[in-house]
């Protein structure tokens, strides 16, 4: 059977942080590598001919009447093993949740059968929710982490996967850690090499990520070694930075400097670094992250539970930091980037206006913090692509065709034609559920989600 190379329908994507591009009845032409080679509009002279050509060769996909095409989402921070406990113990403080629930759960992934069961499910569930690229924390153990990389590859999701490095006996439980700093560095290096060795087995590829969990669980020696690996292999880096009052204060005390500065001093802050959370960045931290062109993985749902604050997305964006969006399973309970988009907007409005009615309106909030749905879609798509250094998130020539085909009628009220095209997009962003997502495409290939 011939591969689909032309997709015809109504589509939306983020032109920039504020603006949406709507394309009515437009043909997206995709090459064998999954790259968009041309966009043909209804009134272009070759539109009819090209549609006919694809149709005759059995390579045309025509959207149904109530369907639209949206870009696939980039989840910039998700803990794959924690999917097993999603929805658990979020009323606990971060440090209690980590020690009492999360570390014991992650330690179980040594059992490869258990790991396969959870990892098959998390990759399928996130794909079903429109996540075409995901940046995963796996666990300390290398073998199950490799298994996650292979499962992403086989199921057709673009996985960025990290074996978690954590070796500090003062911050890690005895039953769940790298034995020593050397072990932490050695297994991370082996993991990078092993992922690179299977990378090209999959059309959409799979990528290794250097993953020090966070400074409270890592020794200086291991962080230094991981910084050297970053230089040698030029791969992505992920960690948690200044997430909560506790985490921010703990690192200040341990290192005598702020989280982001320490990460930078170990050679771990560069344009491929994605730090999760980061609401407590101080002025010099913001400056260094902007200078290094690093990214914040904004986890609005998780921040509502653990961060004791909301990320000032607009302020940090205006100061030059790239910010993408993430679920942070299971600090955030929902695997859906639609939920992340919704919470990003809600949290930003609460930050903007403030929430304590005992205060006067003029001192209640942090002005110019509100995000629009358009902003949030940009974070979930184009900004994610920027962090990954890939042409992802737009339907333009040269971009990778990662997409979701969404039904705009199921679960969504439609009693009249919307005044503006964007109104329909906003309804979808706020109301769509998993079963609205009919197809998910990665690198020009339709995945087998059901
Ligand atoms: N800080 C260190 N580890 C974690 C984790 O697994 N989740 C969250 N939210 N924060 C962390
Ligand atoms: Fe996290």
């Amino acid at each position: 059977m011939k591969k689909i190379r032309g997709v015809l329908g109504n589509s939306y994507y983020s032109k920039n942080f504020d603006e949406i591009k709507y394309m009515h009845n437009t043909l997206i032409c995709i090459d064998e590598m999954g790259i968009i080679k041309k966009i043909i509009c209804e009134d272009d002279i070759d539109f009819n001919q090209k549609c006919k050509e694809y149709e005759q060769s059995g390579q045309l996909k025509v959207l149904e009447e109530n369907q639209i095409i949206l870009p696939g989402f980039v989840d910039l921070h998700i803990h794959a093993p924690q999917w097993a406990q999603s929805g658990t113990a979020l009323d606990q403080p971060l440090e209690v949740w980590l020690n009492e629930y999360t570390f014991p759960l992650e330690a179980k992934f040594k059992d490869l059968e258990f790991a396969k069961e959870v990892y098959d499910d998390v990759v399928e569930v996130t794909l079903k929710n429109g996540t075409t690229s995901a940046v995963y924390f796996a666990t300390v153990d290398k073998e199950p982490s490799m298994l996650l990389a292979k499962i992403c590859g086989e199921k057709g999701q673009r996985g960025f996967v990290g074996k978690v490095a954590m070796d500090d006996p003062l911050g890690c439980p005895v039953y769940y850690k790298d034995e020593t700093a050397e072990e932490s560095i050695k297994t991370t290096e082996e993991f990078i090499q092993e992922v690179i060795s299977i990378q090209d087995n999959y059309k959409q590829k799979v990528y290794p990520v250097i993953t020090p969990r966070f400074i409270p669980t890592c020794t200086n020696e291991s962080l230094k070694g991981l910084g050297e690996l970053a230089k040698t292999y030029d791969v992505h880096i992920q960690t948690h930075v200044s997430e909560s009052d506790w985490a921010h204060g703990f690192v200040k005390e341990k290192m005598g400097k702020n989280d982001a500065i320490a990460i930078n001093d170990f050679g771990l802050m560069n344009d491929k670094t994605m730090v999760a959370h980061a609401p407590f960045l101080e002025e010099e931290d913001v400056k260094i992250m902007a200078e290094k062109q690093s990214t914040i993985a904004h986890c609005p749902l998780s921040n509502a539970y653990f961060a004791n604050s909301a990320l000032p997305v607009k302020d940090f964006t205006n100061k030059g930091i790239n910010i993408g969006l993430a679920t942070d399973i299971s600090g955030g309970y929902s695997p859906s980037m639609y939920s992340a988009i919704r919470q990003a907007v809600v949290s930003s409005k609460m930050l903007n206006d403030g929430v304590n009615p005992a205060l006067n309106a003029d001192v209640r909030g942090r002005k110019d913090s509100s995000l629009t749905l358009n902003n949030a879609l940009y974070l979930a798509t184009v900004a994610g692509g920027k962090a990954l250094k890939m042409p992802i998130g737009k339907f333009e020539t040269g971009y990778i065709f990662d997409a979701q085909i969404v039904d705009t009628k199921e679960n969504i009220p439609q009693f009249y034609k919307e005044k503006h095209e964007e109104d329909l997009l906003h309804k979808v962003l706020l109301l769509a559920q998993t079963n609205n997502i009919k197809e998910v495409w990665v690198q020009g290939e339709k995945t087998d989600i059901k």
Side-chain angles (χ1 to χ4, degrees), residues 77-79 82 97 137 240 243 276-277 299 302 328-329 331:
H77 180 73
I78 166 165
H79 296 261
Q82 294 176 21
W97 173 86
F137 272 57
H240 298 90
E243 173 176 2
H277 309 288
C299 311
S302 167
D328 191 31
I329 290 289

Side-chain angles (χ1 to χ4, degrees), residues 273-408:
T273 301
M274 298 165 280
V275 310
H277 309 288
F280 290 98
L281 292 186
E282 295 176 36
E283 216 173 296
E284 51 170 350
D285 308 332
V286 171
K287 212 165 137 223
I288 202 90
M289 281 199 68
E291 231 171 77
K292 298 285 178 165
Q293 299 284 289
S294 307
T295 291
I296 294 174
H298 177 33
C299 311
L301 195 50
S302 167
N303 286 355
Y305 285 96
F306 287 152
N308 325 112
S309 68
L311 182 76
V313 175
K314 269 233 173 130
D315 184 17
F316 289 177
T317 298
N318 291 339
K319 288 176 176 153
I321 300 182
N322 182 46
I323 300 183
L325 199 59
T327 59
D328 191 31
I329 290 289
S330 63
Y333 57 80
S334 172
S336 161
M337 289 291 287
Y338 284 91
S339 299
I341 285 172
R342 292 162 198 167
Q343 187 65 44
V345 173
V346 170
S347 293
S348 75
K349 289 187 177 301
M350 294 175 93
L351 180 64
N352 188 77
D353 299 333
V355 291
N356 184 354
L359 298 175
N360 275 335
D362 57 339
V363 293
R364 209 182 289 145
R366 175 160 169 160
K367 295 301 162 220
D368 198 25
S369 292
S370 280
L371 293 177
T372 62
L373 276 166
N374 290 4
N375 298 153
L377 179 66
Y378 176 88
L379 301 185
T381 55
V382 181
K386 267 192 185 176
L388 301 177
K389 306 272 166 240
M390 287 185 155
I392 287 178
K394 294 188 180 190
F395 299 126
E396 290 179 0
T397 304
Y399 275 72
I400 299 172
F401 186 71
D402 287 355
Q404 44 184 322
I405 296 180
V406 183
D407 185 290
T408 62

Side-chain angles (χ1 to χ4, degrees), residues 20 53 176 196 217 271 340 349 353 375 393:
I20 298 293
E53 233 173 71
Y176 186 58
I196 290 173
T217 57
D271 65 348
K349 289 187 177 301
D353 299 333
N375 298 153

Side-chain angles (χ1 to χ4, degrees), residues 14-260:
S14 298
K15 214 158 59 173
N16 54 44
F17 187 63
D18 290 307
E19 290 173 301
I20 298 293
K21 169 99 176 168
Y22 171 68
M23 300 195 296
H24 184 75
N25 197 31
T26 295
L27 180 68
I28 301 176
C29 308
I30 306 156
D31 72 11
E32 339 44 85
M33 302 304 292
I35 310 294
I36 298 171
K37 61 176 188 197
K38 205 168 179 196
I39 303 283
I40 308 180
C41 307
E42 241 177 351
D43 31 356
D44 287 347
I45 40 164
D46 51 349
F47 179 78
N48 286 333
Q49 195 216 328
K50 200 71 199 168
C51 287
K52 204 158 149 199
E53 233 173 71
Y54 280 130
E55 194 181 11
Q56 282 173 348
S57 61
Q59 293 183 294
L60 182 67
K61 155 101 198 158
V62 184
L63 262 63
E64 290 172 22
E65 201 189 336
N66 292 303
Q67 294 182 337
I68 57 169
I69 316 170
L70 296 181
F73 293 134
V74 180
D75 185 343
L76 270 192
H77 180 73
I78 166 165
H79 296 261
Q82 294 176 21
W83 170 234
Q85 68 171 12
S86 262
T88 309
L90 290 180
D91 292 334
Q92 302 289 333
L94 172 64
E95 58 279 24
V96 175
W97 173 86
L98 279 173
N99 282 300
E100 290 187 12
Y101 291 86
T102 306
F103 294 157
L105 170 66
E106 290 188 12
K108 288 190 194 161
F109 281 72
K110 277 190 199 59
D111 173 351
L112 291 178
E113 233 172 88
F114 178 64
K116 178 164 172 20
E117 219 182 314
V118 178
Y119 286 164
D120 272 341
D121 200 49
V122 73
V123 174
E124 279 169 27
V125 166
T126 51
L127 266 173
K128 261 189 221 177
N129 279 289
T131 299
T132 47
S133 298
V135 184
Y136 285 112
F137 272 57
T139 61
V140 163
D141 299 290
K142 189 182 71 179
E143 244 192 299
S145 303
M146 278 308 296
L147 181 63
L148 174 60
K150 285 177 191 156
I151 289 172
C152 291
E154 281 156 17
K155 292 193 186 295
Q157 187 176 58
R158 187 176 300 101
F160 291 76
V161 181
K163 171 223 123 43
V164 178
M166 46 193 278
D167 68 311
D168 190 336
L170 298 174
C172 304
V174 280
Y175 63 85
Y176 186 58
K177 65 186 281 292
D178 291 308
E179 268 176 34
T180 58
E182 301 87 74
E183 176 75 11
S184 206
I185 300 159
K186 181 169 154 275
T187 48
T188 297
E189 182 162 24
E190 288 168 0
F191 179 78
I192 294 170
Q193 291 172 344
E194 286 174 35
V195 173
I196 290 173
S197 78
I198 63 162
Q199 182 165 63
D200 293 334
N201 296 352
Y202 313 106
K203 186 172 175 187
Q204 80 287 2
K205 297 200 179 185
V206 59
Y207 300 86
V209 185
I210 294 174
T211 307
R213 182 170 209 122
F214 67 154
I215 286 182
T217 57
C218 300
T219 60
N220 290 357
E221 198 185 342
S222 74
L223 291 165
K224 187 166 165 277
L226 296 176
E228 280 156 17
L229 289 183
K231 213 179 280 164
T232 309
Y233 290 94
D234 189 29
V235 294
H236 282 85
I237 300 164
Q238 61 182 343
T239 188
H240 298 90
V241 160
S242 294
E243 173 176 2
S244 66
D245 286 313
W246 166 75
H248 186 62
F250 188 98
V251 173
K252 249 187 202 232
E253 185 119 321
K254 180 176 176 179
M255 308 303 293
K257 53 185 145 181
N258 283 357
D259 226 337

